[in-house]
């Protein structure tokens, strides 16, 4: 016996889930993770009053203060490791470390607080990282056409904008599938350009 295992070790792929405070990042990761998700939820205290805006999410009592983490195995060869960023500007110093080595990003948006996703969109555009924008549909929130959301955020036609329900596993799976399509498209684009030049 050689002592070698025939077990396939899946390729680990890092994905970031980002967006503003209260947009559903922890819920999104928890809905799809095959392991007990790790979260760093802490109670919101009086210290955050006047610092973290809760307009539109007044019932929120906890918040992520470092990161969320989960894992989903797509097939025997690929496992996605999901890292959720904190939503508040005061924790944005953690983003560089969380984003390092990531293949792509899901930016969650809440149409009740659309301005809250500008920092994430600006950050990932500046990084040149492939991302998709997923509009998390909250019960009772006013609905807008996806084209209106794209226009409000100034997103180019190359950035996929789609709806999702962060509580629903199949909806989250669809968003992750759209992100993987986007990543593959971005990575294949230079090769296509070289082929066309030849």
């Amino acid at each position: 016996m050689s002592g070698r295992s025939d077990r396939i070790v899946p390729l680990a792929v890092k994905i970031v889930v980002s967006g503003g405070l209260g947009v559903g990042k922890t819920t999104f990761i928890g809905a799809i993770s095959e392991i007990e998700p790790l979260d760093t939820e802490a109670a919101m205290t009086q210290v955050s009053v006047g610092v973290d805006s809760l307009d539109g999410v007044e019932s929120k009592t906890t918040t992520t203060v470092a990161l969320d983490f989960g894992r989903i195995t797509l097939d025997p060869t690929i496992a996605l490791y999901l890292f959720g960023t904190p939503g508040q500007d005061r924790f944005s110093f953690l983003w560089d470390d969380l984003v390092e080595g990531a293949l792509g990003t899901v930016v969650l948006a809440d149409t009740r607080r659309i301005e809250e996703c500008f920092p994430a969109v600006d950050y990932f555009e500046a990084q040149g990282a492939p991302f998709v924008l997923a509009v998390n549909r909250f019960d009772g929130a006013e609905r807008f056409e996806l084209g209106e959301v794209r226009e409000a955020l100034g997103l180019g036609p190359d950035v996929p904008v789609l709806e999702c329900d962060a509580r629903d596993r199949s909806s989250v799976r669809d968003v992750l599938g759209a992100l993987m399509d986007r990543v593959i498209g971005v990575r294949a684009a230079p090769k296509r350009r070289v082929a066309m030049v030849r």
Side-chain angles (χ1 to χ4, degrees):
M1 284 182 67
S2 65
R4 292 178 55 202
S5 171
D6 291 333
R7 190 171 81 84
I8 297 171
V9 177
L11 172 67
V13 175
K14 183 178 185 181
I15 299 296
V16 171
V17 180
S18 193
L21 173 68
V23 78
K25 299 177 296 292
T26 303
T27 303
F28 183 97
I29 291 172
I32 197 78
S33 182
E34 64 196 14
I35 61 171
E36 183 67 30
L38 165 72
D39 65 54
T40 56
E41 290 282 298
M44 297 189 76
T45 65
Q46 287 298 110
V47 175
S48 69
V49 174
V51 178
D52 300 327
S53 171
L54 295 179
D55 293 341
V57 290
E58 292 83 2
S59 62
K60 187 167 177 59
T61 59
T62 63
T63 188
T64 299
V65 295
L67 64 96
D68 297 313
F69 175 78
R71 183 189 74 211
I72 178 70
T73 303
L74 296 184
D75 64 39
T77 63
I78 301 176
L80 298 184
Y81 288 83
L82 307 172
F83 289 80
T85 66
Q88 304 95 312
D89 286 341
R90 62 193 167 108
F91 294 127
S92 62
F93 65 92
L94 296 169
W95 285 22
D96 288 340
D97 289 334
L98 290 173
V99 169
E100 186 176 348
L103 198 62
T105 304
V106 172
V107 176
L108 286 174
D110 177 354
T111 55
R112 300 170 302 176
R113 298 160 46 92
I114 198 70
E115 69 283 353
E116 291 290 315
C117 72
F118 275 113
V121 167
D122 291 346
Y123 179 88
F124 294 107
E125 283 183 337
Q127 296 285 321
F131 70 94
V132 300
L133 185 94
V135 179
N136 192 9
R137 295 302 191 189
F138 288 89
D139 295 337
E142 185 177 355
R143 291 191 175 255
F144 295 91
E145 295 296 323
L146 295 179
E148 293 178 276
V149 175
R150 177 187 298 283
E151 186 176 340
L153 293 172
L155 296 174
D158 57 321
V159 177
V161 178
L162 54 158
E163 291 185 334
C164 81
D165 180 342
R167 302 165 297 185
D168 182 72
R169 181 180 178 85
S170 64
S171 182
V172 171
R173 185 191 62 230
D174 291 345
V175 171
L176 292 174
L179 175 62
M180 298 314 295
D181 288 345
R182 169 84 171 125
V183 167
I184 291 166
V186 166
R187 290 182 174 255
K191 292 177 186 170
R192 282 199 302 267
R193 282 198 293 271
V194 168
M196 288 171 64
V197 169
R198 289 182 183 167

